[in-house]
Structures are given as C-alpha cells and as structure tokens.
Amino acid sequence: MTSESQEHGAVRRPVEDEVDVVAEETQQPAKGEKNEKKGSFWKELPVLVVVALVLALIIKTFVVQAFYIPSESMENTLLTNDRVLVNKLVYHTRDIERGDVVVFSGVDSWDGEFQLEEPSNPVAAFFRWVGTAFGIVPGEKDYIKRVIGVGGDHVKCCDSKGRITVNGTPIEEESYLYPGDVPSDKFFDISVPQNRLWVMGDHRSVSLDSRSHTGDPGGGSIPVGQVIGRAFVIVWPFDRFSSIDIPDTFAQPALNALGTQVPLVAGFGLAVPLALVRRRLRKRR
C-alpha cells in the first residue's frame, strides 16, 4: 500500500483524519444560512413578545394580579411601595371572610387616598396603563383594606375597653393594628347590608376607610361586586416576602352567631306562612 501510493505521487492520510475533516465540513453552515437563522430570530422576536404580553394580561385579568401599595393606610401589615399578589379566583370558590385583605375598585365612589397627575400624552398614558396592569405603578381608584364585617353583621365601635365589636363579640386587633393606634377614633354603629362589606385599614389614624364614608349609600360599606380579589402574599421587596393571613381573632365562633341566625330566622319566617296557606288549601279540597 505504501509503495503504491508513493508511486502515484500522493500520500494518503489515515482514514480517521478523513472522517474528522468531513465532519468538520458538514458541521459548518454556509454564511447565507447563518444570516437566515439570525434574521428568522429577529422576525419571530416581536411575535414572542406579543404572545408573552397577551398571556400575562390573561393571567392578570382572570387569575392573579400584582398590585402596588401607594399609601400608609395598611401599615404595618403592608408598607408603602410594597407589591402584593391578588388572587382573583378565590371568591369563586368561597365567600369573602372577615379578616381578608381585599383589593377593590372605588370608581365613581370613593375619592383616592393619593392623587396622580394625568399623563400628558397618549404614549405616557399607555405606559401608565401597562405599569398599573403589572403592579409597577399604583392604580388611583384601587383600594386595599381589611374586611371587618360582612353582609348581615352588626359592627360597632366601641365597647367599654375601646374594642370594635362584630355581632356583639369584641375583636382583638393588636396583632395587626399600627403600633399606637386605637381601633377607631370615630364612633360608628352599622348593620352591614347584604352583599356589602365594612372595610378598614390597619393604620387606623390615617386610613380613609368605611368610617369616612358613613354618609354614602350603604353607610360606608362597599359592594361585594367591587372586590377584585384577595391579597395573599407580599412579593416585593424580597426581604418582606410573606403570606397575608387572616388573624386568629376572626376565627371566634361567636362572630358567626348573628350571621348564621339571620338567614335561619328569615327562612323560618317564610316557611310558617307557606305551611299555613298549604293547610288551608288542603281543607278547601
């Protein structure tokens, strides 16, 4: 083999070398192919961005939304500039409960606790909308408060020890009230209408909550239909990451005494006349 190759004036490389050369040649794409792939990526990028934004908006609209805390009304549970996640599905599976921290819309009702300047042009307005949608900037007409009373509750301030009572039962609020605040510096005595909520901020001395709207329809309570969802976790800043739980004081069975009896009494009150009418009809037959 060696002598024959040399006679023809050429030296053959080992087979292994030939295989390596072929592999290298096949792995190197042409310049045109490289440019085509790069061009394809840049063409697809806007589509990917749009799809990601659409998916994020769908999730924000129906599942979970981030909200920016713009004021001191919920200190020290929530601080100014905190970001919280709000569950929009939870109230499709259970009722709103006392102690829940809820975000609700105050459009056409409550005045804002802070004022934002109107955007000067459509571009700024668009970016404001995007920022609000993703919890980067606050929404001027969105509020976050703690539910103290639900429909049918009798909420009153205050008892002989200065505590708020719900259905005659005092609630102990030391675990979440702003240090130094009293439960309320305003007297109120309200029976919460059905499908409405009595809400208050945890920083009572600065919170413009239900107490500030007792002259409004509903006596300061808000419609259940205005609730956007339940704030369940602080996600920003990272060092404040924590869940937002219902305080133990709202687990007192006595709080439900009146709320459970009202429907029962009402049902009984309707059942008795119906039974009497039915009995009279049987006698006539």
Side-chain angles (χ1 to χ4, degrees):
M1 285 288 293
T2 305
S3 59
E4 186 176 348
S5 300
Q6 291 173 348
E7 287 175 3
H8 288 81
V11 179
R12 290 182 61 84
R13 288 187 296 180
V15 177
E16 291 81 357
D17 290 347
E18 292 182 0
V19 173
D20 290 342
V21 171
V22 171
E24 288 176 5
E25 290 176 352
T26 56
Q27 289 173 358
Q28 294 178 354
K31 291 182 178 179
E33 292 179 1
K34 284 184 178 181
N35 293 333
E36 185 177 344
K37 287 182 178 179
K38 288 181 179 179
S40 176
F41 170 76
W42 290 112
K43 288 177 182 177
E44 292 176 358
L45 182 60
V47 177
L48 294 174
V49 171
V50 170
V51 170
L53 284 173
V54 169
L55 289 175
L57 285 173
I58 290 173
I59 293 171
K60 185 272 300 184
T61 302
F62 299 105
V63 185
V64 174
Q65 182 176 354
F67 278 87
Y68 176 104
I69 306 302
S71 72
E72 303 171 348
S73 68
M74 282 296 292
E75 291 181 341
N76 280 332
T77 304
L78 302 174
L79 305 181
T80 305
N81 299 325
D82 279 355
R83 272 71 163 183
V84 299
L85 291 185
V86 172
N87 186 336
K88 293 187 168 185
L89 293 178
V90 62
Y91 296 135
H92 293 287
T93 59
R94 73 164 174 85
D95 293 333
I96 299 173
E97 297 178 1
R98 304 176 195 90
D100 280 347
V101 174
V102 298
V103 172
F104 61 96
S105 172
V107 173
D108 299 326
S109 58
W110 289 15
D111 293 329
E113 293 179 316
F114 64 99
Q115 300 296 324
L116 292 175
E117 293 183 5
E118 289 297 324
S120 57
N121 58 69
V123 175
F126 171 76
F127 282 107
R128 159 83 71 81
W129 177 82
V130 172
T132 301
F134 292 98
I136 300 172
V137 297
E140 187 174 3
K141 286 295 185 178
D142 293 331
Y143 300 83
I144 185 163
K145 304 293 180 189
R146 189 180 299 278
V147 176
I148 303 298
V150 298
D153 282 347
H154 178 208
V155 185
K156 183 178 179 180
C157 176
C158 293
D159 68 2
S160 59
K161 295 183 179 180
R163 300 170 298 184
I164 291 174
T165 62
V166 179
N167 301 328
T169 302
I171 52 176
E172 303 293 344
E173 303 187 276
E174 291 82 2
S175 65
Y176 58 85
L177 272 189
Y178 186 80
D181 274 7
V182 295
S184 181
D185 55 3
K186 297 178 181 178
F187 173 84
F188 57 86
D189 188 346
I190 181 172
S191 293
V192 184
Q194 291 297 331
N195 297 316
R196 299 184 74 92
L197 307 167
W198 180 269
V199 295
M200 301 176 74
D202 289 353
H203 194 171
R204 299 284 161 80
S205 60
V206 300
S207 179
L208 300 177
D209 47 40
S210 288
R211 297 169 300 164
S212 302
H213 297 272
T214 52
D216 296 351
S221 62
I222 65 165
V224 168
Q226 293 290 89
V227 173
I228 296 169
R230 176 178 181 263
F232 67 99
V233 65
I234 302 169
V235 294
W236 182 265
F238 291 136
D239 60 357
R240 282 184 43 75
F241 183 89
S242 60
S243 61
I244 305 171
D245 302 319
I246 298 178
D248 292 339
T249 190
F250 292 100
Q252 299 178 80
L255 294 178
N256 296 316
L258 185 63
T260 54
Q261 287 175 7
V262 168
L264 180 61
V265 171
F268 183 75
L270 290 173
V272 171
L274 288 174
L276 292 174
V277 170
R278 188 175 179 184
R279 181 175 295 180
R280 287 181 181 179
L281 289 174
R282 283 182 178 178
K283 287 181 178 180
R284 288 180 182 180
R285 290 178 184 175

